[in-house]
Amino acid sequence: MKQLRMCCLGSRKNPPASFIEGQKPSCIFTRAKITIASQQQILLRKLKEAVFMKKTMIEPARLNKNSTGIVKHIAFTMYPVKDMPRARQFYEGGLGLKLTNNFRDQWVEYHLNNGCFAITTMAEDVAPSANSGGSIAFEVDDVDVMVDKLRARKAVVKMEPFSTPVCRMAVVLDPEGNAISIHGKNPGR
């Protein structure tokens, strides 16, 4: 077993604490109020996430160099939620939607025959409301071409094109100030 030496941020009476890997430490960082074990778990989780993102992040090539930027269909509709477990219970239990993707219980997708419905807690500056609609994403064959086309027409680009493991997307504002997403699935998705 590997012996680790960790220092308590306590008084001189408390010498540096040691513990055996795999066992719970008795030392608690008094200023941060975080146990050594939980700090290690946080660092390990961040490392795993970074490795996952590096392995899965794909910068897709332009799908069609001669694209005219024509809307093909609606990619997804998203609604913001504040309480994900309660929302999931309603959509899955109440409406009977089948979960297809769950990103850390912050972005949950339900794929339907003609698109995707998503709920999220990640839209921090958007609140659930009966007086405003959800968010719409238009599926296109080339996100960058469409954004350039809209920018040429003086549309405000709220979020420049970016890539995820499954898609490339951007957010632009319509003339009224409504945000719309321009979305393109990565090849094979």
Side-chain angles (χ1 to χ4, degrees):
M1 285 194 234
K2 185 176 178 184
Q3 180 119 10
L4 302 175
R5 293 191 58 81
M6 299 299 231
C7 177
C8 280
L9 298 176
S11 66
R12 289 186 183 178
K13 291 181 183 178
N14 294 331
S18 300
F19 67 95
I20 306 299
E21 201 171 45
Q23 295 178 353
K24 287 188 177 181
S26 59
C27 175
I28 295 178
F29 285 97
T30 55
R31 289 186 190 155
K33 301 212 188 264
I34 299 175
T35 66
I36 293 167
S38 65
Q39 274 219 333
Q40 288 176 334
Q41 289 170 351
I42 291 167
L43 291 173
L44 182 61
R45 185 181 76 236
K46 286 182 180 179
L47 178 62
K48 285 179 180 176
E49 288 172 4
V51 169
F52 171 77
M53 290 305 289
K54 186 171 182 167
K55 285 181 180 175
T56 59
M57 189 61 69
I58 299 168
E59 187 65 36
R62 283 236 147 114
L63 300 179
N64 182 352
K65 302 232 187 264
N66 300 319
S67 173
T68 58
I70 297 171
V71 172
K72 298 188 313 187
H73 64 270
I74 295 172
F76 66 87
T77 302
M78 178 274 295
Y79 279 103
V81 300
K82 297 292 183 192
D83 184 333
M84 184 61 78
R86 181 177 62 200
R88 287 189 61 190
Q89 184 178 21
F90 172 78
Y91 288 108
E92 294 170 31
L95 293 178
L97 298 181
K98 303 292 182 226
L99 175 72
T100 42
N101 288 311
N102 183 345
F103 180 70
R104 296 187 200 149
D105 234 20
Q106 296 171 339
W107 179 274
V108 173
E109 293 182 351
Y110 305 96
H111 287 250
L112 307 169
N113 288 338
N114 58 355
C116 173
F117 175 71
I119 55 176
T120 185
T121 58
M122 296 168 71
E124 295 173 7
D125 51 342
V126 180
S129 171
N131 300 320
S132 63
S135 173
I136 193 162
F138 292 107
E139 185 72 17
V140 299
D141 59 353
D142 191 308
V143 172
D144 297 276
V145 168
M146 178 60 85
V147 169
D148 289 344
K149 181 178 173 180
L150 294 172
R151 193 188 317 266
R153 296 180 65 94
K154 307 295 184 214
V156 175
V157 178
K158 183 177 178 183
M159 188 177 297
E160 291 292 333
F162 64 98
S163 295
T164 74
V166 297
C167 69
R168 183 153 177 82
M169 62 187 294
V171 179
V172 298
L173 301 180
D174 72 7
E176 303 300 311
N178 295 308
I180 61 168
S181 295
I182 306 301
H183 182 272
K185 291 180 184 175
N186 287 343
R189 290 290 183 170

